[in-house]
Amino acid sequence: MKNDITKIPVYAQRGAQRGVYTVVVAILLIAVAMLAVRGVTRSAVVETRIASNEEQMKEVQHAAEAAWDYGLAWYAKNEPDHDDPINGWVPDPGGGPVDSYIISTSPSITVPSGEVYSTTVRLLRDSTDELSEGYVLILATATAINDTGVTATIRQYVHDNYLSRDPSFGSPPLIVKGCLTNVLGTPDVTVGTADSDAVLSLQAASSTCIDPGHLDAFYPDPNNPDVGLEIDPVESAIGYMGAVDDPNTSIDEEDLWWYIFNEDRISMKAIADSQRSWPADQRQVIWVEPGDTEYLSSDNYCTLCPKGTEDRPIFLIFDSAFSAANNCPGFQGNQVIWGIVFVDGDCPDGQGWGQVTINGTLAVNGDFNQYNANTEVNNMDPAGGDDATVIKSPWVARVPGSWRDF
């Protein structure tokens, strides 16, 4: 019997083989494509992470810079307590020269992405090196609250600028540019030592218009500082300095302003105006003009003016418009002022200076007539050391080349 077997044509076998090859190639291409897609995806993820990390670093850097700016603004307005070991400058526990101060009000900063950064702002100073006096390092660190590994630090030195030429308030108690005449009664002036000037005049030593009259000058008894020893004759306690150098023009001119202050009048008034929004007991530069209802009473007495304190003295400046109006502001009511009272012009009638004690300096940038017996001016002995009572300029200077972000 004959087997009936159908033979598959050769061309059909070859076609089947080609189909298998196609499937294999397709699978390989798909695998390659998947690998490529996976690689692209992984690359995209890596790029996204890099971009995210870069964005985070930019954000934390900006947060640190904002914290540093806050530290600068805080330091321009405030002064750490030099005598308080808890709330003031803290000595290096290792006995080193660097004191530190942490600003407790360092802010939290929220960036546009919604991330919140905590900040720490520290002040560092070398209190033992005279060459470093006035230099402070502000160091600000920002850290992401949700990821403490994201952090940045900014540091830069600043240098204090002071509003007065003698930051320690060591000027003589009474300074007059013009003449001192008709001293009434026996007003008291107290100086630091027996050879200190009780009265300083811008006039030349040959001037005859400085008449202390019955002015009494005292200095503390070295053996009992609470007892005043009289300087007799009082004329021996009068100093003459002639002209004052104007630092802006490098020429001598008769302007008592530049004996007291470092800033010009426009800048000083701008500072006073900016402090009007502060609580009255925090203001340190007070500029009074005629008709100033915030500070003056209806009878022109400065009864509402801030008075300052022993550890936070003031500059109380009376505008030259008082002199132009032939007027002299005054005090009543047993007031005590800490700091410098500056009358920018003549004071033709000092009888208004009644029942007032000035611990610091009374400066009259003109003639002073009828200095009243009820006025007492005492040379200021700053609390906590000379550097505890300085009045700094709000324009603290950055030290070029000291900026670091690492």
Side-chain angles (χ1 to χ4, degrees):
M1 185 172 178
K2 190 175 181 181
N3 292 332
D4 189 8
I5 300 175
T6 303
K7 294 183 178 180
I8 300 174
V10 173
Y11 69 85
Q13 294 179 5
R14 292 175 179 172
Q17 290 174 349
R18 284 196 297 270
V20 172
Y21 295 152
T22 301
V23 171
V24 172
V25 171
I27 291 173
L28 290 174
L29 290 175
I30 292 172
V32 171
M34 291 179 64
L35 290 173
V37 170
R38 184 179 180 184
V40 171
T41 302
R42 293 183 65 179
S43 177
V45 170
V46 171
E47 291 293 335
T48 301
R49 288 178 178 174
I50 292 175
S52 177
N53 289 340
E54 288 180 348
E55 187 63 26
Q56 274 192 318
M57 291 310 299
K58 288 180 181 178
E59 287 182 348
V60 71
Q61 190 80 8
H62 291 161
E65 290 175 359
W68 193 95
D69 289 340
Y70 175 85
L72 176 65
W74 185 95
Y75 183 65
K77 182 179 177 181
N78 300 277
E79 178 68 23
D81 192 327
H82 291 249
D83 296 325
D84 190 334
I86 297 177
N87 300 313
W89 289 104
V90 177
D92 183 352
V98 178
D99 299 338
S100 65
Y101 180 85
I102 297 178
I103 299 176
S104 60
T105 55
S106 301
S108 294
I109 298 173
T110 302
V111 298
S113 68
E115 183 68 71
V116 180
Y117 294 89
S118 63
T119 65
T120 301
V121 183
R122 298 173 61 203
L123 308 177
L124 301 172
R125 66 164 189 174
D126 186 344
S127 59
T128 63
D129 184 3
E130 292 185 0
L131 296 178
S132 299
E133 184 176 357
Y135 288 91
V136 171
L137 176 65
I138 301 178
L139 189 149
T141 300
T143 304
I145 291 180
N146 294 327
D147 185 355
T148 56
V150 179
T151 184
T153 297
I154 300 292
R155 67 192 73 200
Q156 186 172 18
Y157 277 95
V158 298
H159 187 269
D160 291 333
N161 290 323
Y162 301 111
L163 295 182
S164 60
R165 284 199 166 189
D166 183 357
S168 64
F169 288 83
S171 300
L174 180 59
I175 308 176
V176 181
K177 169 190 171 181
C179 297
L180 177 65
T181 54
N182 298 321
V183 176
L184 304 176
T186 55
D188 293 340
V189 176
T190 302
V191 296
T193 61
D195 56 357
S196 300
D197 289 331
V199 180
L200 184 61
S201 171
L202 198 63
Q203 301 294 310
S206 59
S207 173
T208 59
C209 72
I210 302 298
D211 181 9
H214 298 286
L215 181 73
D216 288 338
F218 298 92
Y219 68 96
D221 185 341
N223 299 317
N224 187 356
D226 294 330
V227 175
L229 301 179
E230 186 172 1
I231 300 176
D232 188 24
V234 69
E235 285 78 7
S236 65
I238 299 177
Y240 299 89
M241 62 178 170
V244 178
D245 177 56
D246 180 343
N248 294 321
T249 61
S250 298
I251 61 175
D252 290 341
E253 58 180 46
E254 293 184 358
D255 188 352
L256 196 57
W257 179 274
W258 294 114
Y259 180 81
I260 302 291
F261 302 116
N262 276 328
E263 298 286 349
D264 59 31
R265 288 172 173 83
I266 294 176
S267 299
M268 193 71 81
K269 188 175 186 305
I271 295 171
D273 290 343
S274 70
Q275 293 185 7
R276 289 257 183 171
S277 61
W278 298 7
D281 61 353
Q282 294 184 19
R283 303 173 195 174
Q284 288 193 279
V285 182
I286 296 92
W287 191 290
V288 185
E289 298 175 290
D292 191 330
T293 56
E294 181 177 2
Y295 293 143
L296 297 177
S297 63
S298 58
D299 50 2
N300 211 41
Y301 288 114
C302 200
T303 53
L304 305 176
C305 295
K307 308 301 188 297
T309 62
E310 186 175 9
D311 57 359
R312 194 173 178 83
I314 63 172
F315 295 148
L316 181 54
I317 302 170
F318 292 102
D319 192 274
S320 59
F322 284 101
S323 178
N326 199 33
N327 200 349
C328 188
F331 297 88
Q332 289 290 336
N334 295 315
Q335 299 188 52
V336 178
I337 299 172
W338 291 88
I340 294 176
V341 178
F342 189 88
V343 181
D344 200 5
D346 296 329
C347 188
D349 184 1
Q351 293 195 66
W353 296 83
Q355 300 176 352
V356 58
T357 298
I358 300 172
N359 294 307
T361 295
L362 169 59
V364 180
N365 200 17
D367 295 330
F368 194 14
N369 185 46
Q370 295 187 345
Y371 184 28
N372 196 291
N374 293 324
T375 303
E376 179 180 338
V377 186
N378 303 313
N379 190 235
M380 186 173 178
D381 181 16
D386 290 350
D387 55 356
T389 54
V390 299
I391 301 182
K392 296 184 301 185
S393 168
W395 300 294
V396 178
R398 302 177 187 230
V399 178
S402 66
W403 186 88
R404 299 289 185 274
D405 61 353
F406 53 87

